Amino acid sequence: MDKFVIRGGNPLVGVIRVSGAKNSALPCMAAAILTEDEVTLENIPQVRDIETERKLLQSMGAEVGLREGEAQDRTTICCRNLSDPVARYEIVKTMRASSLVLGPLIARTGMARVAMPGGCAIGGRPIDLHIRGLEKMGATITQEHGYLEARADRLRGAHLVFDKITVTGTEDLLMAAVLAEGETLMEKCAREPEVTDLAALLTAMGAQIEGAGTSTIRVQGVSRLHGARHSINPDRIEAGTFLVAGAITGGDLVVSNCNPTHLGAVIAKLREAGAIVDVLGPDEVRVRSGGPLRAADISTEEYPGFPTDMQAQYMALATQAEGVSMVRENIFENRFMHVQELVRMGANIKVDGSVATVRGPARLSAAAVMCSDLRASASLVLGALVADGESILDRVYHMDRGYERIEEKLRGVGAQIRRLGNLFPPREDE
Ligand code: UD1
């Protein structure tokens, strides 16, 4: 199993480039199911979850690949022959976002068999809202032997109101609605940039969608979609992680190929904590030290609030800030697994339910620590970058699910980080 060895103490200086967003690429790849034509996606990150999605689509009969001479971050998907519309457990168990194929499969083929996603480290994470929405659109869904089996001759437009805001739920039902008969009105939708990115691809494929990026989305179903070419948004969570890396190490870092408009809550919080953050242009943000870090509270919320996927990384920063920071996690229960590892490195953090109280600044000392999920791993990398001595992070396969060549990128701006081993067994989704 791969490990990272990180020696702390170096301020990160230079330019670090952000890859495409994993959480946009996953639904966009699933959207290719909706057409017989070819869909070409650019700015695809080279991470394990994307490999898993490629395998999933291939296992259903799709042709997924790179054309000779094409850039690694481009992928072409052709779902002309979906001979086997089944998402098998062996694949789904490694990536919960596999449930994103449910809506498009029913819409395109009239049937889907999708293994129920397994339990996940960061909470129960049900998909009841996906199921309820599809049923409202006329699908019959049964559950047997750990699989959901869904059937519908043709989905019908419906009025869908989400009980709870769900990102992949909004995406799944949006993909179902674009080929449904008539109008679908979706309320209390997720407003995340990943939903907007998917809607842009679907629109380029001929879908009729209004309101993506707001809480109300209206879709006029069409009978057929065509191929398209689309470039995936930059990854706002990877960008946010790099901004924290610059701030926590007291460095001077330019985060390039990002979209600053997607980073509003993170940038505002870093400024409140005392870092100097300048938006240099439409795709660049500079972060540098503005003196000692100060405590600032965060509370995770749906977009445009502070992202839950940045909570763990922010907590690493809070350990270095003067004063008491309250970190409230509102989206997922059980998303504090990084806490005990940060504490082992010397952080002063107490958890009470959904609130963690962080007292700083704490002198972190290098330790052997264990990554438990994707963003928890990022928080441990950040802690290790400022710890005294050489830390060893175990189970970095969690990190590889969502961060492209993170150790190379960090090394390029002065971090002392190296990888041991080269095995990446897959694990469950974030
Ligand atoms: C997506 C992101 C993940 C991010 C999360 C919240 C992807 C692949 N993953 O996950 O990185 O942390 O958004 O920003 O895009 N819920 C239900 N029933 C459902 C669906 C969700 O109760 O059918 C609950 C969940 O348990 C959770 C909340 O709704 O408490 C939000 O979950 P959701 O937005 O669906 O997260 P994901 O889409 O799985």
Side-chain angles (χ1 to χ4, degrees):
M1 239 180 268
D2 279 18
K3 294 180 174 44
F4 280 160
V5 180
I6 302 175
R7 177 167 287 281
N10 287 13
L12 301 190
V13 178
V15 180
I16 193 161
R17 194 172 192 282
V18 174
S19 300
K22 160 182 93 73
N23 286 355
S24 280
L26 292 172
C28 286
M29 290 173 79
I33 291 173
L34 294 164
T35 177
E36 295 189 350
D37 300 346
E38 210 168 80
V39 172
T40 300
L41 299 171
E42 289 161 1
N43 204 29
I44 292 269
Q46 310 289 303
V47 296
R48 175 162 288 278
D49 276 7
I50 298 297
E51 270 319 303
T52 306
E53 177 112 347
R54 280 203 180 104
K55 277 191 207 134
L56 178 63
L57 294 172
Q58 277 167 337
S59 73
M60 296 175 183
E63 287 167 37
V64 189
L66 289 169
R67 290 239 186 81
E68 214 170 306
E70 281 199 330
Q72 280 292 314
D73 67 355
R74 182 176 304 164
T75 194
T76 300
I77 306 171
C78 182
C79 293
R80 187 163 301 124
N81 303 311
L82 281 178
S83 47
D84 198 12
V86 180
R88 292 200 168 69
Y89 181 66
E90 294 66 45
I91 299 178
V92 172
K93 73 175 180 195
T94 69
M95 189 181 69
R96 190 183 172 283
S98 308
S99 51
L100 276 169
V101 299
L102 188 59
L105 277 181
I106 310 171
R108 165 80 190 284
T109 70
M111 82 147 286
R113 275 193 84 223
V114 176
M116 294 285 287
C120 170
I122 61 168
R125 306 189 73 173
I127 57 162
D128 55 314
L129 301 174
H130 302 228
I131 295 171
R132 217 179 301 158
L134 290 167
E135 283 176 340
K136 265 199 120 175
M137 297 172 87
T140 309
I141 302 184
T142 51
Q143 192 188 326
E144 233 176 41
H145 310 301
Y147 278 78
L148 289 176
E149 191 160 314
R151 286 179 188 276
D153 286 342
R154 183 171 177 201
L155 294 172
R156 295 184 305 270
H159 183 188
L160 310 174
V161 184
F162 290 98
D163 286 348
K164 199 167 180 179
I165 295 175
T166 157
V167 179
T168 48
T170 301
E171 293 163 348
D172 201 15
L173 297 184
L174 178 60
M175 288 189 276
V178 290
L179 283 183
E181 192 174 352
E183 180 176 287
T184 299
L185 178 63
M186 297 165 65
E187 293 188 75
K188 285 188 70 184
C189 295
R191 293 181 287 162
E192 268 67 1
E194 293 75 31
V195 175
T196 318
D197 209 6
L198 169 66
L201 167 63
L202 293 170
T203 304
M205 292 166 70
Q208 293 187 19
I209 303 168
E210 270 172 39
T214 74
S215 52
T216 304
I217 301 180
R218 200 180 283 273
V219 181
Q220 302 295 337
V222 296
S223 54
R224 156 167 210 285
L225 293 177
H226 51 74
R229 177 178 283 261
H230 177 74
S231 182
I232 302 291
N233 267 334
D235 195 312
R236 65 195 168 97
I237 305 302
E238 187 193 14
T241 304
F242 293 156
L243 289 176
V244 173
I248 197 173
T249 61
D252 186 350
L253 207 54
V254 173
V255 178
S256 73
N257 192 43
C258 65
N259 185 338
T261 60
H262 296 161
L263 292 164
V266 172
I267 291 176
K269 200 47 75 175
L270 287 174
R271 286 180 177 149
E272 195 182 328
I276 300 175
V277 186
D278 297 307
V279 175
L280 300 182
D283 64 357
E284 266 186 356
V285 181
R286 178 181 181 192
V287 62
R288 63 205 147 106
S289 169
L293 292 164
R294 299 186 292 270
D297 300 342
I298 60 159
S299 187
T300 62
E301 283 163 27
E302 291 88 3
Y303 188 82
F306 193 93
T308 173
D309 285 352
M310 280 299 299
Q311 179 257 104
Q313 300 89 315
Y314 183 81
M315 199 182 295
L317 181 97
T319 67
Q320 301 306 295
E322 173 81 43
V324 180
S325 307
M326 308 287 274
V327 174
R328 179 180 289 276
E329 173 56 56
N330 293 312
I331 309 294
F332 292 110
E333 76 250 33
N334 198 17
R335 202 174 195 180
F336 281 144
M337 279 168 308
H338 42 288
V339 169
Q340 57 187 21
E341 301 301 283
L342 288 172
V343 167
R344 292 187 56 242
M345 296 173 87
N348 182 345
I349 309 171
K350 296 268 176 315
V351 174
D352 183 9
S354 59
V355 179
T357 306
V358 187
R359 290 191 163 73
R363 198 182 138 266
L364 298 188
S365 64
V369 287
M370 192 83 88
C371 301
S372 54
D373 68 53
L374 174 52
R375 306 305 169 185
S377 327
S379 124
L380 299 181
V381 168
L382 294 166
L385 287 176
V386 292
D388 193 8
E390 199 168 77
S391 296
I392 298 178
L393 272 65
D394 204 349
R395 302 196 176 170
V396 298
Y397 52 77
H398 286 295
M399 193 93 193
D400 294 324
R401 286 195 24 239
Y403 287 91
E404 179 176 310
R405 297 180 290 105
I406 180 103
E407 73 277 26
E408 287 174 36
K409 290 189 184 187
L410 290 175
R411 237 185 349 252
V413 290
Q416 294 190 63
I417 172 170
R418 65 195 158 89
R419 182 187 286 269
L420 294 181
N422 57 4
L423 294 169
F424 315 110
R427 284 291 284 208
E428 64 275 358
D429 192 16
E430 73 175 354

